[in-house]
Amino acid sequence: MTAGLDGRHPVVRRDGEGVARLWGKGSVVTTKLTADETGGALGVTHFDAVRGERAPRHTHTREDEIFIIEGGEVHLTVGDATETVRGAGVLFLPRGIPHSYLVESETARFYVITTPGGFERFFSETGYPVRPGRTAPVGEAWSVNRTTEFAERLGLGVVWGK
């Protein structure tokens, strides 16, 4: 493909493509675009989430986040406000605002875009490899300690619980 003015090349990822990981309660999280592929501009991760999937209250100090919800019911807490998105919706979340989410429907599909990129490594490195026909150690055994450890090791600038 042709390169852009800064030498970056277009990247196309279709459904089922990218680095897929089992996550949390048994959701599949797929890294679609990495900071390396976008010259650091952004990272894109897609969630095929199950009921109960959540992110505990946390604050990003280095990146803004955009949630693009394609379907399902996702309860969002942003600062002191709460909102439930049913069906489809978009949320822009500037860095420095504490937030959390909870999937309340049987399933939900959404993208998380971070800018600048780099945070997508959290999902691809913390999640468990997807292996057809095999169960990953997720669900009730999933550990918030595991995610906080990886976030610290990767230097992601996440503050938990604030």
Side-chain angles (χ1 to χ4, degrees):
M1 287 192 181
T2 304
L5 295 175
D6 60 2
R8 291 180 294 167
H9 292 273
V11 178
V12 176
R13 294 266 156 62
R14 293 171 182 79
D15 235 6
E17 295 179 340
V19 177
R21 295 287 185 256
L22 287 171
W23 188 258
K25 300 262 182 206
S27 300
V28 176
V29 179
T30 305
T31 301
K32 294 295 193 175
L33 293 173
T34 67
D36 289 341
E37 294 170 320
T38 65
L42 55 91
V44 178
T45 306
H46 185 264
F47 283 72
D48 280 308
V50 297
R51 182 185 309 277
E53 188 64 64
R54 67 182 191 92
R57 190 168 177 86
H58 64 283
T59 304
H60 295 265
T61 62
R62 298 183 179 161
E63 59 276 318
D64 300 328
E65 275 187 300
I66 301 162
F67 286 76
I68 301 174
I69 299 167
E70 299 177 285
E73 186 173 325
V74 181
H75 182 81
L76 303 159
T77 301
V78 179
D80 294 330
T82 60
E83 184 78 36
T84 299
V85 176
R86 291 176 183 87
V90 175
L91 166 67
F92 171 67
L93 187 59
R95 67 194 78 185
I97 299 176
H99 59 282
S100 63
Y101 72 82
L102 172 66
V103 173
E104 295 184 326
S105 52
E106 195 65 31
T107 62
R109 289 176 48 96
F110 55 93
Y111 285 90
V112 175
I113 301 169
T114 54
T115 180
F119 189 79
E120 72 283 352
R121 295 177 303 146
F122 177 66
F123 302 111
S124 60
E125 294 192 28
T126 308
Y128 294 94
V130 174
R131 293 188 180 100
R134 295 188 61 196
T135 304
V138 295
E140 296 308 314
W142 187 253
S143 169
V144 172
N145 290 340
R146 175 182 167 80
T147 57
T148 55
E149 173 189 320
F150 270 77
E152 289 173 13
R153 186 170 58 83
L154 293 170
L156 296 177
V158 176
V159 178
W160 300 96
K162 304 272 182 188

